Amino acid sequence: MEEDDLRLRALLTAMRTQADARVRATAAVLNQLTHDREGSNDDDEHDPEGVTLSSEWSRLTGLAEAAASELQQVDDAIARMDAGTYGICLNCGEPIPATRLEVRPFAEYCVRCAEQLGR
C-alpha cells in the first residue's frame, strides 16, 4: 500500500473513532433526556433558568444525526478503500484529486461532479 493510502486510511480510522464516540455520547445523553422527559409535565417542561427539554432534544437529535451521517460516510470510504475504488469519482469515474481527499477524505465525487450534483 502506498504511503498516501496508509496516511488516508489512518485519517479515516481516526475520523471513524471520533464519529463513533460522538454517536455513543449523544445516544447516552438522549437516553438520559428521555428518562428526564418521562417525569416532566408536557405543559411546562422547562426549567425557567435553563433550556427547554424539547429544545435540548432537538439540538441533541441534530448532533446525533450528523455524527451518524459522518460515521456512515467514513465507513463507506473505508469500504471503497478495501474494494480498490477509493479516490475514484462515483459519477465520472475520474480520479478524485489528492488535495480534495486530504480535506475531505470520505469524498465520493471529484470537485466538478460535486458542484454539478450539488454535493
Side-chain angles (χ1 to χ4, degrees):
M1 194 177 274
E2 244 181 74
E3 185 178 329
D4 285 343
D5 293 342
L6 290 173
R7 190 171 32 78
L8 286 169
R9 184 176 287 274
L11 179 59
L12 285 166
T13 301
M15 290 177 75
R16 187 187 194 293
T17 299
Q18 293 168 358
D20 186 54
R22 286 195 317 275
V23 166
R24 292 173 188 271
T26 54
V29 176
L30 281 169
N31 286 337
Q32 182 61 48
L33 189 58
T34 299
H35 179 267
D36 293 348
R37 285 182 78 161
E38 289 172 358
S40 79
N41 178 348
D42 287 337
D43 293 334
D44 185 24
E45 66 171 13
H46 69 279
D47 172 357
E49 302 290 322
V51 179
T52 65
L53 291 175
S54 293
S55 172
E56 185 66 359
W57 180 267
S58 294
R59 184 185 76 80
L60 288 169
T61 299
L63 290 173
E65 289 171 357
S69 175
E70 182 178 332
L71 182 59
Q72 185 62 57
Q73 289 176 43
V74 170
D75 282 345
D76 291 347
I78 292 171
R80 288 191 306 277
M81 208 173 246
D82 291 342
T85 60
Y86 180 78
I88 305 298
C89 179
L90 296 179
N91 190 53
C92 70
E94 294 295 318
I96 298 171
T99 53
R100 178 162 171 75
L101 292 173
E102 288 291 329
V103 173
R104 190 173 170 87
F106 46 80
E108 299 175 308
Y109 304 99
C110 65
V111 175
R112 187 184 75 233
C113 289
E115 288 173 351
Q116 288 173 350
L117 297 168
R119 297 182 181 223

